[in-house]
Amino acid sequence: MRKSKLLFAVILMTLVLVGCSSNSMEEPPELVINIGDKVIEYISAKNKWNGSIYDREDTFVTILKEQKDIPVFENDSIVEISFKSNPPGKFTVSDILIDKNGQQIYTDKEIKNIPVELVDSKYVFEIENHFASALSSYYEPNKQELRGFRMIASWGENECEYAFVIKTDSRDEEEQNEHETSVNVIDRSEYITGEIITEGNYRVIEEIGKNFITFIPDKESLEIIKAKYGGKQQYELAYDSLDKVTELPDELGIYKVKVKIKNIDEYGYLIIEDIMLTDTIGTILYEGKVYEGNDLDDRVELKDRVNGLIVDHVVKNNGGVVVGFAGEIESEGFYFIDPNESSMYGPTGFIFVDEKYLKNFPTIYGERTNSSVWFSKTNELYDELTNNSLFGKGKFKTSGYFLVYNYGMGWGPGGVLNEIISLDEDYKNLFTVEGGKSVGNSGIADDFVVVNYTVYDENDCLKEREYYYINNEYPKKVIIPVEYNYHYNLKEVINDNEFILQTEGYDEALDNVNMSSPHEIKCTITSEGILTEKIN
């Protein structure tokens, strides 16, 4: 019995000591990494250690700052890892494609988790071709990829990251030969090749008799196009019949195509005779990157992705940037319609987006071009909104979003209304089409909207304008009695019953509109209507 108690005490003490040692190490243990007969440099960095959580620089970024010579290995090489002391209770390895700065190229979905075997106290795994290499259609002889290997070791609550970086060939010899053969069989006397960026929404714009698809030539085709038409980063393929695009995909994406060009028009559009999807093209010059947030900068390029959108248009000039996007954006908010054909951009609408939906819209340097989403009359959905009410609230999907940063004097509406998800029935028939009237936004507050209802005559002279208070909870028109010839905007909400309108004071009824009389109007909400008082 005494022996049993003594044995139990020894076992218990051993377990206690083991448990204490795993969580009371002052520093993570060192290890040795071998690939073949070469010892690999690595760094270690604590994630959680003895109750502390560490916020630090990414290990791959640190390695590529400090280590100049990155070793090169073939796929199928064997990695052996051994701890000099205190092997961990848990050990995982991830294989990640990184760029020259140590940044992850693709998303977390493209991280490869590697099964690791424990053989003779060593963790062993094979370096295989990374599946995300197939996402790159860019071919370059002897191209090598940077591979970051992230190893997470755990001792109870303590956790440390070990990391090393190597280079491997992106394709094996057989794949390279297949790629070279496929490029060489393309008949470039008849076809040019490259990629298109498309949303899958094909139509012919009635006003100009054609529509366009963004085309990025491959390296080989770019030389041909430069010789014939002049060089630029992207080209627009123009088609004048839907019959020419019936075989193209109807989903957003970047697709490889071969194209037969009929001619180039006076605006620089390549008029297509034929376009077909293909599995292989020539050398892709740029793969595109993924923005983790929705804020862009002037490094943005064609094919970059953000918020589920693909950049399909970039213009840069003297620090200014115009960026266009392919893909739909969902939004909710108040919409306003100008149905007049004689307006500057023809029949147009705009949506003032609720704040919670702004995250769906990319920005550049944190700025958006407008507070509203502009769209043009391009399909029957525009008429559906117009017939419902010129002003209302709903949920929508639009495309054709673009950003203008420090470029030119502005930009006209260019979006397309793709889907009306829902409309608030309380606004139905609130403002109807009559006598050429249109609605405009004179101010949106938390609880109400100020809408102007305006009509101009055939000479673009102001004929009539009314201002209405619309409560969000009980949407109905309450007229605000102010002079129609001034353009007022909401300046300030004083309290639940009072707000102030202001105007720059240009009297549109006068011939001389250069004279101004700026002033403010205090508006008081009563059970009898809106009372107004000029306060300065």
Side-chain angles (χ1 to χ4, degrees):
M1 178 67 72
R2 292 182 62 188
K3 287 184 179 180
S4 298
K5 289 182 178 180
L6 180 61
L7 178 61
F8 176 77
V10 170
I11 293 172
L12 180 60
M13 181 62 69
T14 302
L15 290 174
V16 169
L17 289 174
V18 169
C20 291
S21 64
S22 67
N23 284 298
S24 60
M25 291 185 292
E26 291 186 6
E27 295 295 332
E30 295 181 357
L31 50 76
V32 177
I33 303 173
N34 291 97
I35 302 179
D37 58 359
K38 188 174 180 64
V39 178
I40 305 302
E41 294 183 40
Y42 73 92
I43 68 170
S44 63
K46 300 169 186 173
N47 290 339
K48 298 180 291 183
W49 205 262
N50 292 339
S52 298
I53 298 176
Y54 291 81
D55 182 16
R56 52 175 174 73
E57 183 178 60
D58 187 276
T59 50
F60 299 143
V61 174
T62 304
I63 289 173
L64 291 176
K65 281 181 180 179
E66 299 175 354
Q67 186 177 340
K68 302 304 179 185
D69 297 322
I70 304 299
V72 181
F73 294 95
E74 294 182 359
N75 289 317
D76 302 330
S77 298
I78 301 299
V79 182
E80 295 182 339
I81 302 168
S82 57
F83 283 81
K84 292 184 176 181
S85 63
N86 295 326
K90 183 178 180 183
F91 188 72
T92 61
V93 180
S94 301
D95 180 3
I96 304 168
L97 294 182
I98 58 178
D99 62 21
K100 63 181 180 181
N101 298 312
Q103 299 292 340
Q104 183 175 317
I105 294 177
Y106 300 110
T107 68
D108 288 348
K109 294 180 181 179
E110 285 74 42
I111 293 177
K112 182 178 181 180
N113 296 315
I114 300 176
V116 179
E117 293 184 38
L118 187 59
V119 180
D120 296 331
S121 300
K122 294 180 180 179
Y123 295 95
V124 179
F125 64 89
E126 181 180 343
I127 298 173
E128 298 177 341
N129 187 50
H130 198 298
F131 65 87
S133 298
L135 299 177
S136 172
S137 56
Y138 178 75
Y139 172 70
E140 177 185 339
N142 304 315
K143 180 187 175 185
Q144 295 173 334
E145 292 176 318
L146 279 169
R147 307 271 290 272
F149 289 85
R150 177 169 287 141
M151 301 165 288
I152 305 297
S154 301
W155 297 263
E157 295 298 319
N158 287 345
E159 180 182 284
C160 179
E161 177 180 323
Y162 299 85
F164 68 92
V165 174
I166 64 171
K167 291 180 180 178
T168 62
D169 292 329
S170 60
R171 291 184 172 94
D172 60 30
E173 186 175 349
E174 182 180 351
E175 287 177 313
Q176 291 181 4
N177 291 336
E178 286 178 0
H179 184 90
E180 290 171 343
T181 301
S182 67
V183 170
N184 291 333
V185 298
I186 297 172
D187 183 1
R188 298 190 181 280
S189 65
E190 187 174 15
Y191 287 96
I192 58 172
T193 51
E195 297 170 306
I196 59 169
I197 303 174
T198 179
E199 299 170 326
N201 297 320
Y202 306 103
R203 60 190 177 85
V204 174
I205 302 174
E206 294 181 6
E207 292 83 353
I208 58 177
K210 54 180 176 280
N211 205 350
F212 319 99
I213 304 172
T214 297
F215 176 66
I216 308 105
D218 55 44
K219 181 179 179 181
E220 293 79 3
S221 294
L222 183 58
E223 296 303 317
I224 297 171
I225 298 171
K226 280 181 178 179
K228 287 186 176 182
Y229 310 120
K232 52 184 179 179
Q233 182 185 18
Q234 72 174 52
Y235 294 82
E236 299 290 340
L237 302 179
Y239 58 92
D240 53 12
S241 169
L242 292 179
D243 293 337
K244 294 182 179 179
V245 294
T246 53
E247 300 301 318
L248 294 183
D250 57 4
E251 296 290 334
L252 172 70
I254 303 172
Y255 301 92
K256 298 175 183 177
V257 294
K258 58 180 184 178
V259 187
K260 185 183 290 186
I261 301 299
K262 183 177 181 181
N263 62 281
I264 186 169
D265 69 8
E266 65 270 29
Y267 301 108
Y269 296 110
L270 299 177
I271 311 300
I272 65 174
E273 186 174 321
D274 189 21
I275 182 170
M276 291 177 286
L277 294 178
T278 181
D279 292 332
T280 56
I281 56 176
T283 305
I284 299 301
L285 298 175
Y286 178 69
E287 279 300 320
K289 59 182 177 290
V290 176
Y291 281 85
E292 294 300 325
N294 71 343
D295 190 20
L296 314 183
D297 52 43
D298 60 4
R299 294 173 295 178
V300 66
E301 298 290 350
L302 286 170
K303 297 169 60 175
D304 288 348
R305 296 174 184 260
V306 56
N307 281 15
L309 306 173
I310 303 174
V311 175
D312 72 347
H313 186 83
V314 178
V315 179
K316 299 179 183 180
N317 185 36
N318 295 327
V321 189
V322 179
V323 188
F325 301 88
E328 289 184 329
I329 300 180
E330 184 175 309
S331 64
E332 184 174 352
F334 292 105
Y335 74 87
F336 299 77
I337 296 290
D338 180 357
N340 293 299
E341 298 283 349
S342 59
S343 298
M344 180 181 295
Y345 301 109
T348 53
F350 48 101
I351 303 164
F352 282 83
V353 179
D354 288 353
E355 186 173 355
K356 66 179 180 180
Y357 283 88
L358 289 178
K359 65 180 185 298
N360 296 347
F361 294 83
T363 66
I364 187 162
Y365 290 112
E367 295 184 11
R368 295 179 178 85
T369 307
N370 296 301
S371 57
S372 59
V373 179
W374 291 86
F375 57 91
S376 303
K377 182 180 180 180
T378 51
N379 52 38
E380 67 280 356
L381 295 178
Y382 185 93
D383 294 325
E384 184 178 334
L385 276 189
T386 301
N387 294 333
N388 180 74
S389 175
L390 294 181
F391 163 75
K393 189 170 186 179
K395 198 171 185 177
F396 312 94
K397 287 183 181 179
T398 55
S399 62
Y401 180 69
F402 56 86
L403 292 168
V404 182
Y405 177 76
N406 194 31
Y407 192 101
M409 297 297 292
W411 216 263
V416 176
L417 181 62
N418 292 340
E419 182 182 346
I420 301 172
I421 299 173
S422 62
L423 290 174
D424 191 328
E425 289 295 319
D426 289 338
Y427 293 84
K428 189 174 180 62
N429 295 324
L430 201 60
F431 291 90
T432 58
V433 179
E434 54 180 78
K437 287 185 177 181
S438 64
V439 294
N441 173 25
S442 283
I444 298 176
D446 291 338
D447 300 322
F448 66 91
V449 182
V450 177
V451 177
N452 63 73
Y453 199 25
T454 305
V455 62
Y456 292 87
D457 63 22
E458 61 276 6
N459 297 316
D460 291 328
C461 294
L462 180 63
K463 186 177 179 181
E464 183 181 345
R465 183 190 285 130
E466 298 167 322
Y467 288 88
Y468 290 93
Y469 166 90
I470 314 293
N471 186 278
N472 296 348
E473 191 171 354
Y474 305 103
K476 65 177 183 177
K477 294 192 296 185
V478 180
I479 196 162
I480 303 174
V482 291
E483 297 179 72
Y484 80 95
N485 45 321
Y486 294 112
H487 194 283
Y488 291 97
N489 284 301
L490 179 65
K491 177 189 177 183
E492 179 186 353
V493 177
I494 302 173
N495 53 49
D496 289 345
N497 297 312
E498 296 177 313
F499 59 92
I500 294 176
L501 300 179
Q502 66 178 0
T503 176
E504 293 182 352
Y506 292 101
D507 191 334
E508 295 183 49
L510 298 177
D511 292 334
N512 185 2
V513 293
N514 292 322
M515 300 294 294
S516 68
S517 177
H519 57 272
E520 297 178 355
I521 301 290
K522 180 181 178 182
C523 302
T524 303
I525 305 166
T526 72
S527 58
E528 303 298 322
I530 306 291
L531 300 180
T532 58
E533 174 189 2
K534 188 174 181 180
I535 56 177
N536 61 36

Short mmCIF file of all heavy atoms in Angstrom, two decimals, residues 458-486:
data_model
loop_
_atom_site.label_atom_id
_atom_site.label_comp_id
_atom_site.label_asym_id
_atom_site.label_seq_id
_atom_site.Cartn_x
_atom_site.Cartn_y
_atom_site.Cartn_z
N GLU A 458 -39.15 75.84 -71.89
CA GLU A 458 -38.36 75.37 -73.02
C GLU A 458 -37.06 76.16 -73.21
O GLU A 458 -36.14 75.70 -73.90
CB GLU A 458 -39.19 75.43 -74.31
CG GLU A 458 -39.67 76.80 -74.71
CD GLU A 458 -40.96 77.21 -74.01
OE1 GLU A 458 -41.40 76.45 -73.10
OE2 GLU A 458 -41.52 78.26 -74.35
N ASN A 459 -36.97 77.31 -72.58
CA ASN A 459 -35.75 78.12 -72.66
C ASN A 459 -34.87 77.95 -71.42
O ASN A 459 -33.98 78.78 -71.18
CB ASN A 459 -36.12 79.60 -72.82
CG ASN A 459 -36.87 79.86 -74.11
OD1 ASN A 459 -36.50 79.35 -75.18
ND2 ASN A 459 -37.95 80.65 -74.02
N ASP A 460 -35.14 76.94 -70.63
CA ASP A 460 -34.39 76.65 -69.40
C ASP A 460 -34.50 77.75 -68.36
O ASP A 460 -33.60 77.93 -67.53
CB ASP A 460 -32.90 76.39 -69.71
CG ASP A 460 -32.68 75.11 -70.47
OD1 ASP A 460 -33.46 74.16 -70.26
OD2 ASP A 460 -31.74 75.05 -71.28
N CYS A 461 -35.60 78.49 -68.40
CA CYS A 461 -35.88 79.50 -67.37
C CYS A 461 -36.78 78.88 -66.30
O CYS A 461 -37.71 78.11 -66.62
CB CYS A 461 -36.55 80.72 -67.98
SG CYS A 461 -35.48 81.62 -69.12
N LEU A 462 -36.53 79.22 -65.05
CA LEU A 462 -37.32 78.67 -63.95
C LEU A 462 -38.78 79.08 -64.11
O LEU A 462 -39.10 80.26 -64.23
CB LEU A 462 -36.78 79.18 -62.61
CG LEU A 462 -37.52 78.70 -61.37
CD1 LEU A 462 -37.43 77.19 -61.21
CD2 LEU A 462 -36.99 79.40 -60.12
N LYS A 463 -39.63 78.08 -64.10
CA LYS A 463 -41.06 78.33 -64.27
C LYS A 463 -41.81 78.16 -62.94
O LYS A 463 -42.71 78.93 -62.62
CB LYS A 463 -41.61 77.36 -65.32
CG LYS A 463 -43.06 77.58 -65.69
CD LYS A 463 -43.46 76.61 -66.80
CE LYS A 463 -44.92 76.78 -67.20
NZ LYS A 463 -45.30 75.83 -68.25
N GLU A 464 -41.42 77.16 -62.18
CA GLU A 464 -42.12 76.88 -60.94
C GLU A 464 -41.23 76.02 -60.04
O GLU A 464 -40.50 75.16 -60.51
CB GLU A 464 -43.42 76.12 -61.23
CG GLU A 464 -44.28 75.84 -60.02
CD GLU A 464 -45.54 75.07 -60.39
OE1 GLU A 464 -45.88 75.01 -61.59
OE2 GLU A 464 -46.16 74.51 -59.47
N ARG A 465 -41.29 76.29 -58.73
CA ARG A 465 -40.57 75.45 -57.77
C ARG A 465 -41.31 75.47 -56.45
O ARG A 465 -41.69 76.54 -55.96
CB ARG A 465 -39.12 75.92 -57.58
CG ARG A 465 -38.33 75.00 -56.62
CD ARG A 465 -36.98 75.57 -56.24
NE ARG A 465 -36.03 75.47 -57.33
CZ ARG A 465 -35.29 76.48 -57.78
NH1 ARG A 465 -35.42 77.68 -57.21
NH2 ARG A 465 -34.44 76.32 -58.75
N GLU A 466 -41.49 74.30 -55.87
CA GLU A 466 -42.13 74.17 -54.57
C GLU A 466 -41.19 73.37 -53.64
O GLU A 466 -40.46 72.50 -54.11
CB GLU A 466 -43.48 73.45 -54.67
CG GLU A 466 -44.49 74.19 -55.53
CD GLU A 466 -45.69 73.31 -55.87
OE1 GLU A 466 -45.50 72.11 -56.11
OE2 GLU A 466 -46.81 73.86 -55.91
N TYR A 467 -41.27 73.70 -52.36
CA TYR A 467 -40.47 72.99 -51.36
C TYR A 467 -41.40 72.23 -50.42
O TYR A 467 -42.42 72.78 -49.97
CB TYR A 467 -39.59 73.95 -50.57
CG TYR A 467 -38.45 74.51 -51.37
CD1 TYR A 467 -38.62 75.66 -52.14
CD2 TYR A 467 -37.21 73.88 -51.39
CE1 TYR A 467 -37.57 76.17 -52.89
CE2 TYR A 467 -36.16 74.38 -52.13
CZ TYR A 467 -36.34 75.52 -52.88
OH TYR A 467 -35.31 76.02 -53.63
N TYR A 468 -41.05 70.97 -50.13
CA TYR A 468 -41.90 70.13 -49.29
C TYR A 468 -41.09 69.50 -48.16
O TYR A 468 -39.94 69.09 -48.35
CB TYR A 468 -42.55 69.01 -50.11
CG TYR A 468 -43.61 69.52 -51.06
CD1 TYR A 468 -43.29 69.82 -52.38
CD2 TYR A 468 -44.92 69.69 -50.63
CE1 TYR A 468 -44.25 70.27 -53.25
CE2 TYR A 468 -45.89 70.16 -51.51
CZ TYR A 468 -45.56 70.46 -52.82
OH TYR A 468 -46.52 70.92 -53.68
N TYR A 469 -41.72 69.43 -47.00
CA TYR A 469 -41.20 68.72 -45.84
C TYR A 469 -41.81 67.33 -45.86
O TYR A 469 -43.04 67.18 -45.93
CB TYR A 469 -41.57 69.47 -44.56
CG TYR A 469 -41.41 68.70 -43.28
CD1 TYR A 469 -40.21 68.73 -42.57
CD2 TYR A 469 -42.47 67.96 -42.74
CE1 TYR A 469 -40.07 68.04 -41.37
CE2 TYR A 469 -42.33 67.26 -41.54
CZ TYR A 469 -41.13 67.30 -40.87
OH TYR A 469 -41.00 66.62 -39.69
N ILE A 470 -40.96 66.27 -45.83
CA ILE A 470 -41.44 64.88 -45.83
C ILE A 470 -40.92 64.20 -44.58
O ILE A 470 -39.72 63.98 -44.42
CB ILE A 470 -40.95 64.09 -47.07
CG1 ILE A 470 -41.14 64.90 -48.35
CG2 ILE A 470 -41.63 62.74 -47.14
CD1 ILE A 470 -42.58 65.13 -48.74
N ASN A 471 -41.82 63.88 -43.64
CA ASN A 471 -41.43 63.17 -42.42
C ASN A 471 -41.19 61.70 -42.74
O ASN A 471 -41.97 61.07 -43.47
CB ASN A 471 -42.53 63.31 -41.36
CG ASN A 471 -42.12 62.71 -40.03
OD1 ASN A 471 -42.21 61.50 -39.82
ND2 ASN A 471 -41.66 63.57 -39.12
N ASN A 472 -40.10 61.13 -42.21
CA ASN A 472 -39.75 59.75 -42.54
C ASN A 472 -40.75 58.74 -41.99
O ASN A 472 -40.98 57.69 -42.58
CB ASN A 472 -38.35 59.41 -42.01
CG ASN A 472 -37.27 60.24 -42.66
OD1 ASN A 472 -37.50 60.91 -43.66
ND2 ASN A 472 -36.07 60.21 -42.09
N GLU A 473 -41.32 59.05 -40.82
CA GLU A 473 -42.23 58.09 -40.18
C GLU A 473 -43.61 58.11 -40.83
O GLU A 473 -44.24 57.06 -40.99
CB GLU A 473 -42.33 58.40 -38.69
CG GLU A 473 -43.04 57.32 -37.91
CD GLU A 473 -42.95 57.54 -36.40
OE1 GLU A 473 -42.24 58.48 -35.98
OE2 GLU A 473 -43.58 56.76 -35.66
N TYR A 474 -44.06 59.31 -41.23
CA TYR A 474 -45.37 59.43 -41.88
C TYR A 474 -45.18 60.21 -43.18
O TYR A 474 -45.43 61.43 -43.23
CB TYR A 474 -46.37 60.15 -40.97
CG TYR A 474 -46.52 59.52 -39.61
CD1 TYR A 474 -45.92 60.08 -38.49
CD2 TYR A 474 -47.25 58.34 -39.46
CE1 TYR A 474 -46.05 59.49 -37.24
CE2 TYR A 474 -47.38 57.75 -38.21
CZ TYR A 474 -46.78 58.33 -37.11
OH TYR A 474 -46.91 57.74 -35.88
N PRO A 475 -44.71 59.55 -44.24
CA PRO A 475 -44.38 60.27 -45.48
C PRO A 475 -45.62 60.87 -46.15
O PRO A 475 -46.49 60.16 -46.64
CB PRO A 475 -43.76 59.18 -46.36
CG PRO A 475 -43.38 58.08 -45.44
CD PRO A 475 -44.39 58.12 -44.34
N LYS A 476 -45.69 62.17 -46.11
CA LYS A 476 -46.69 62.91 -46.87
C LYS A 476 -46.14 64.29 -47.14
O LYS A 476 -45.24 64.77 -46.44
CB LYS A 476 -48.02 62.99 -46.12
CG LYS A 476 -47.97 63.77 -44.83
CD LYS A 476 -49.36 63.85 -44.20
CE LYS A 476 -49.33 64.70 -42.91
NZ LYS A 476 -50.67 64.84 -42.33
N LYS A 477 -46.65 64.94 -48.18
CA LYS A 477 -46.13 66.24 -48.59
C LYS A 477 -46.71 67.36 -47.70
O LYS A 477 -47.92 67.50 -47.60
CB LYS A 477 -46.47 66.52 -50.05
CG LYS A 477 -45.79 65.59 -51.02
CD LYS A 477 -45.92 66.06 -52.47
CE LYS A 477 -47.34 66.06 -52.93
NZ LYS A 477 -47.46 66.41 -54.36
N VAL A 478 -45.79 68.11 -47.08
CA VAL A 478 -46.20 69.30 -46.34
C VAL A 478 -45.43 70.47 -46.96
O VAL A 478 -44.19 70.51 -46.90
CB VAL A 478 -45.86 69.18 -44.84
CG1 VAL A 478 -46.29 70.45 -44.10
CG2 VAL A 478 -46.52 67.94 -44.24
N ILE A 479 -46.14 71.39 -47.57
CA ILE A 479 -45.47 72.46 -48.30
C ILE A 479 -44.77 73.43 -47.34
O ILE A 479 -45.24 73.69 -46.23
CB ILE A 479 -46.46 73.22 -49.20
CG1 ILE A 479 -45.70 74.06 -50.23
CG2 ILE A 479 -47.42 74.07 -48.37
CD1 ILE A 479 -46.53 74.49 -51.41
N ILE A 480 -43.60 73.90 -47.76
CA ILE A 480 -42.85 74.91 -47.00
C ILE A 480 -43.01 76.24 -47.75
O ILE A 480 -42.50 76.38 -48.87
CB ILE A 480 -41.36 74.53 -46.90
CG1 ILE A 480 -41.19 73.15 -46.26
CG2 ILE A 480 -40.60 75.59 -46.08
CD1 ILE A 480 -39.75 72.65 -46.27
N PRO A 481 -43.70 77.20 -47.18
CA PRO A 481 -43.99 78.45 -47.90
C PRO A 481 -42.77 79.38 -47.96
O PRO A 481 -42.51 80.15 -47.04
CB PRO A 481 -45.13 79.08 -47.09
CG PRO A 481 -44.97 78.52 -45.71
CD PRO A 481 -44.38 77.16 -45.86
N VAL A 482 -42.00 79.25 -49.03
CA VAL A 482 -40.85 80.13 -49.28
C VAL A 482 -40.94 80.61 -50.72
O VAL A 482 -41.70 80.07 -51.54
CB VAL A 482 -39.51 79.41 -49.04
CG1 VAL A 482 -39.30 79.10 -47.57
CG2 VAL A 482 -39.43 78.14 -49.86
N GLU A 483 -40.13 81.62 -51.06
CA GLU A 483 -40.14 82.15 -52.42
C GLU A 483 -39.56 81.11 -53.38
O GLU A 483 -38.46 80.59 -53.17
CB GLU A 483 -39.34 83.44 -52.48
CG GLU A 483 -39.93 84.56 -51.62
CD GLU A 483 -39.08 85.82 -51.69
OE1 GLU A 483 -39.11 86.48 -52.75
OE2 GLU A 483 -38.39 86.10 -50.70
N TYR A 484 -40.30 80.83 -54.46
CA TYR A 484 -39.92 79.74 -55.36
C TYR A 484 -38.65 80.04 -56.14
O TYR A 484 -37.98 79.12 -56.62
CB TYR A 484 -41.07 79.45 -56.33
CG TYR A 484 -41.15 80.40 -57.49
CD1 TYR A 484 -40.55 80.07 -58.70
CD2 TYR A 484 -41.80 81.62 -57.39
CE1 TYR A 484 -40.60 80.93 -59.78
CE2 TYR A 484 -41.85 82.49 -58.45
CZ TYR A 484 -41.26 82.14 -59.66
OH TYR A 484 -41.29 83.00 -60.73
N ASN A 485 -38.30 81.32 -56.31
CA ASN A 485 -37.20 81.68 -57.21
C ASN A 485 -35.82 81.55 -56.58
O ASN A 485 -34.81 81.76 -57.24
CB ASN A 485 -37.39 83.11 -57.73
CG ASN A 485 -37.78 84.08 -56.63
OD1 ASN A 485 -38.55 83.76 -55.75
ND2 ASN A 485 -37.25 85.29 -56.70
N TYR A 486 -35.75 81.19 -55.30
CA TYR A 486 -34.45 80.94 -54.67
C TYR A 486 -34.25 79.44 -54.46
O TYR A 486 -35.22 78.70 -54.23
CB TYR A 486 -34.37 81.64 -53.31
CG TYR A 486 -34.39 83.14 -53.39
CD1 TYR A 486 -35.47 83.87 -52.92
CD2 TYR A 486 -33.31 83.84 -53.94
CE1 TYR A 486 -35.50 85.25 -52.98
CE2 TYR A 486 -33.32 85.22 -54.01
CZ TYR A 486 -34.41 85.93 -53.54
OH TYR A 486 -34.43 87.29 -53.62
#
